[in-house]
Amino acid sequence: MIAARRLDKISRLMGSRATPYSLKALNKESLLWTEFWNPKVRLLCNNDGVAAFSSTSHYSSNCNHSPTNKVLRNLPGYVKIVEVGPRDGLQNEKEIVPTTIKVQLIKMLVSSGLTVVEATSFVSPKWVPQLADAKDVIDAIQNIRGARFPVLTPNLKGFEAAVEAGAKEVAIFASASESFSKSNINCSIEDSLARYKDVASAARKLSLPVRGYISCVVGCPVEGMVPPSKVAYVAKQLFDMGCSEISLGDTIGVGTPGTIIPMIENVIRVVPIDKLAVHFHDTYGQALSNILTSLQMGISTVDSSVSGLGGCPYAKGASGNVATEDVVYMLNGLGIETNVDLEKLMLAGDFICKHLGRQSSSKTAVALTSKKANSKL
Amino acid sequence: MFLQKLYTRLNNMENPSKACNSFRLLFTMSSLEEPLGFDKLPSMSTIDRIQRFSAGACRPRGDDMGLGNCWIDGRSCSTSNSCDEDYEEYTGEAFPWRRHVKDVSEGGTFNRRASSLSKNRMKFEYVCDSRYLPDHQCSCKCNDRGIHGITNKFLKGIPKFVKIVEVGPRDGLQNEKNIVPTSIKVELIRRLVSSGLPVVEATSFVSPKWVPQTYSMGNDYCWMQLADATDVMKAVCDLENARLPVLTPNIKGFEAAVAAGAKEIAVFASASECFSKSNINCSIEESLVRYHAVCHAAKELSVPIRGYVSCVVGCPVEGAIPPSKVAYVAKELYRMGCFEISLGDTIGVGTPGTVVAMLEAVMAVVPAEKLAVHFHDTYGQSLPNILVSLQMGISTVDSSVAGLGGCPYAKGASGNVATEDVVYMLNGLGVKTNVDLPKLMSAGDFISEHLGRQSGSKTAVALSRVTADASKI
C-alpha cells in the first residue's frame, strides 16, 4: 500500500539510517496519514508530503507539503529573511555592546544561513553611541562569505565613511509621516528624499546596491494613522532613485492585517512586489499575522531581529522587532524555504541574550529551550 | 488603576468619542535613527492610542466586505455601539491630558503646557477630517477605491462578528501555583463580563470529590486551584449578559455543577491517545463514553454542552497528530450533542500550515459555525493561526485575559493567547466582538496586579506603558 516513491522520500529524509520498522495506516480518507515507526525517527506521511519529527524533539514544524487550500495557495516558496538584530536590535541597548560581541553575533547569524545581516549604521556617534564602532565592525566582517551586510547611511557623509570602511551595500531611511521625519531625522520627507538622491546617485556610481526603508507605514506616534497613499508616494520616490529593495516598516507596531492590506495594495501599484520587504514590529503582538498577510499578498522578504532584539522606544518596556526565530518557525510550518537553520539561529540568540543578561524575546526560542532543558531531566 | 481612572473620565465626558485631537508639534533637532526616548515625543494616552490605532475599523454597512473605504483603525465597537458617534473637533476641556511639546524656537528645552485643543483637529492631511460618520462610513480621502477586488480576496471569508470565549478564570488560573482567592476570581469574572465578553468560562468541577482518578491536566495543582468551583459558581451564576460554562469531567462533576447553578457545561477530550491517558487517565474512547453520559444528562436538563478537543496539532508525547484523528473526535463530540467544539492546540506548536490542514479535516465533518479555535501562543503562532482560521470561516475564538495560563509542558513558556491581543487584531480587521478594550485591559490589569506580574498581553503592555509615561507628565 505504500508507494515506493514515498519510501524513497523517507529514506532520503532520514539518510542511511532509514529503515521503516513497522507501519500502520491510520485511515483511508483523502488525507491518508501513514505512520512509520522507527526507533530513532517517527514520521507521518500523506499523499502530498511528509511531516517528520524525531524522537529527540517530538515535534518539528518542518513541513514540506504544498498546501492546496486557497488561504495558503499563493504563498512564496522561498522567503528571504533580512536580519536586523545587530543594527536595529542593538542600537536601542543602553549598555554599549563590545565590538567583539557584535562581530561574533554577526558571524553566528551568518552561519545559521541568514544571507542578509544588517551590520551597523554610519550615524553620528553623538546620537547613537552604540554604533560608534561601525568602522571596526565592518572591518572585522570583511572576509565573511555567504552573506550581504547592508549598513545604514543617513547622508553623503555617512555613505562616504561606509564605503571607506569597506561596506558593499547601504541603506537609507525615509518616513511616510511628516512629523516623524522631522523629529527623527530633522527634516521634511521631501528634504530627506533629496538627501537620499545624492546617496543613491553616489552608490550607483560605485555599483553599490541601496536598500530603502520607510518608517511609519501604518501609524505614527504623533500623527496617528498614516495614509497608504503617502507610503506609496515615498516608496515610489525611493524606487525611482534606484533602491533595489524597499522595506516597509510599521515602526510602532500598530498595524493589523486590516491596515496592512490597503497599505501594501497602494504600494504595489507603484513598486513591483518583488522589490518590497516588510518590517513589522511586534509591539502589539501583531507582527506574525501581519507577516502572514503580507506573504499571502505576495511579499517574499521579511525583516526580523534575532531574539526580538530592539524594544520600542515609543512605549518603554514594550517589545519591538519581531523575533527571527518565531518568523522562521512559522515559515517552516508553512513549508516555505528560508535556508535558515533554526537551531543555529537559536544559538546566536542565546549568545547575545547571555551577554545582555536577559531572556530571549522569542517565544519559539524560550519554548524550545525549555523543552530541551526538561528533556534532560 | 490609572486605566480605570482614564476610562471613568472618558465615560463621564459629554462626548468621549469626539477625540479628534491633533496638535501642532514643534520639534527640535534630532538625529537620524536616534532612538527616541518617550520623553521626546508627545505622549499619547491609552484611550488616545486605542482610539487611534486599535479599535474597530469602520466596516461598511451591509454585506459589502469591500474596502472602497480605507480601513482605518478607530474606536472599538463596544456594546455601547460607539461607532454611531461622530468624531468632531473637541475642546481642550474634554481631554485635559497634558501633552509634551518641544518648542524648537526655545532651543530645545521642553515645554509642558496644557494642550490647547479647542482649535486643533486631528490632522489627517490625506485622510479623514472626521473619523467616523454616523453611518459607519469612514470619511476618507484615500485613493484606494479601485482595489476592491484584491482586498476582498484576503478578507472575504472573514466573519463580521467573532464570539470570544474568555477562558482566563478557568484555563488561565488553573495553572497558577498560588491559590487565587475566590473573591478575586469572582471579581475577575465580573470585570470580564462587564467588558462585553459574551462567554466567560468560570471554573471547573474537577475536585477529587467528583473526580476520583488522577486528573493532572499538565500539573498537579489545578484541582486545588479550582477547589472553590461551587463557591465561584454560586457567586457568578446570576451575572447577566454572559454565559458562564464550566468544565465537567464526569457525571458527578456535572451534578455538582448543576447544583451550584451552572447553566452550561463543557467536556474535554483529546485527539492524542497518550495525552488522554496522561491527562484524564483514560483512553479517548473511554472518555467519549463518559462524556456521552454527561451529554445525555445535560440534554435532559436542557443544559448546553461545549466540547473541547485537545492536542489538535501536536502532542507532547506523540508528536504530530493526524488531522483525521481530530476530525474523528470532533465528530463524536458533535454527534453526542455538543453545540460547539473548541479545537485546542494544547502545546502551541501549530502554524498556519498545520492548522489549515487540521481545520479542513474537521470542517468536512462538523459545520464551521459549530467550531471554535483555542490556540496557545507558546511559539508565538496563535495570532496568525487565528487569522487563517477566520479566513476559513471560523467565527469563535478562545483566549485568556492577559494571556493567563502558561504552558505546563514547557516551563516558563507562554500558554493561552491574550484576549487583548486578539481583540486588537479583530478590531483592526473591522470584526465586531462587542468587547470594550479598555475595560478588558482593566480586568487584565486587576488580575495581573494580584498575581504580581506583568500581563502576558503585548497590547496591554504597550498601551499601559504609554499610559504610565503619560501619567508622569
Side-chain angles (χ1 to χ4, degrees), chain B residues 13-87:
Chain B
M13 286 169 208
E14 200 180 297
N15 277 301
S17 64
K18 292 177 184 176
C20 284
N21 54 339
S22 85
F23 29 81
R24 185 170 304 153
L25 299 156
L26 306 168
F27 296 96
T28 62
M29 319 283 274
S30 178
S31 78
L32 173 67
E33 290 307 307
E34 180 186 357
L36 289 173
F38 190 79
D39 58 350
K40 290 182 183 170
L41 280 175
S43 66
M44 193 185 295
S45 70
T46 298
I47 306 297
D48 240 6
R49 195 166 280 263
I50 292 172
Q51 286 170 344
R52 285 185 186 196
F53 297 124
S54 79
C58 294
R59 283 180 75 104
R61 285 250 174 95
D63 292 329
D64 180 16
M65 281 286 297
L67 297 177
N69 302 315
C70 67
W71 289 94
I72 291 190
D73 292 349
R75 276 193 76 216
S76 73
C77 296
S78 71
T79 46
S80 62
N81 201 11
S82 45
C83 280
D84 284 341
E85 292 153 358
D86 289 350
Y87 271 68

Side-chain angles (χ1 to χ4, degrees), chain A residues 336-350:
Chain A
I336 294 175
E337 295 282 348
T338 58
N339 286 346
V340 176
D341 181 319
L342 184 53
E343 294 218 14
K344 286 184 176 171
L345 176 65
M346 280 172 52
L347 284 176
D350 198 40

Side-chain angles (χ1 to χ4, degrees), chain A residues 53-248:
Chain A
F53 52 99
S54 74
S55 54
T56 50
S57 59
H58 281 123
Y59 190 86
S60 153
S61 71
N62 282 324
C63 170
N64 60 1
H65 66 259
S66 357
T68 50
N69 190 286
K70 65 178 187 317
V71 164
L72 303 177
R73 195 175 288 148
N74 296 318
L75 296 181
Y78 171 80
V79 161
K80 178 178 76 184
I81 294 185
V82 174
E83 171 61 45
V84 300
R87 196 278 305 171
D88 195 13
L90 291 184
Q91 79 178 14
N92 288 317
E93 292 297 324
K94 281 205 174 112
E95 301 283 332
I96 303 293
V97 176
T99 308
T100 48
I101 301 286
K102 285 176 184 146
V103 171
Q104 179 60 15
L105 172 64
I106 293 172
K107 282 184 175 145
M108 292 178 84
L109 290 167
V110 173
S111 76
S112 77
L114 288 159
T115 54
V116 187
V117 179
E118 203 181 53
T120 187
S121 182
F122 283 80
V123 294
S124 164
K126 196 167 127 203
W127 300 116
V128 191
Q130 180 68 260
L131 304 177
D133 60 354
K135 186 176 176 305
D136 299 331
V137 168
I138 294 294
D139 258 342
I141 62 175
Q142 279 300 307
N143 297 325
I144 301 180
R145 297 279 169 262
R148 289 157 35 203
F149 301 107
V151 300
L152 235 66
T153 53
N155 50 29
L156 213 46
K157 213 170 155 190
F159 171 76
E160 285 160 2
V163 168
E164 200 184 311
K168 299 191 181 66
E169 186 171 331
V170 298
I172 52 183
F173 207 102
S175 176
S177 150
E178 198 65 52
S179 310
F180 190 80
S181 186
K182 284 183 179 145
S183 71
N184 201 39
I185 55 175
N186 190 35
C187 60
S188 68
I189 296 177
E190 285 307 321
D191 288 345
S192 75
L193 291 173
R195 200 190 287 175
Y196 295 140
K197 269 201 181 90
D198 293 339
V199 175
S201 167
R204 203 169 29 245
K205 287 188 182 132
L206 296 173
S207 303
L208 293 183
V210 181
R211 187 180 211 237
Y213 280 96
I214 306 180
S215 59
C216 295
V217 298
V218 178
C220 164
V222 176
E223 288 182 12
M225 302 309 296
V226 175
S229 51
K230 192 73 181 183
V231 184
Y233 169 76
V234 177
K236 183 165 199 305
Q237 296 299 311
L238 290 173
F239 183 63
D240 286 348
M241 72 175 71
C243 288
S244 56
E245 190 169 89
I246 320 280
S247 173
L248 306 168

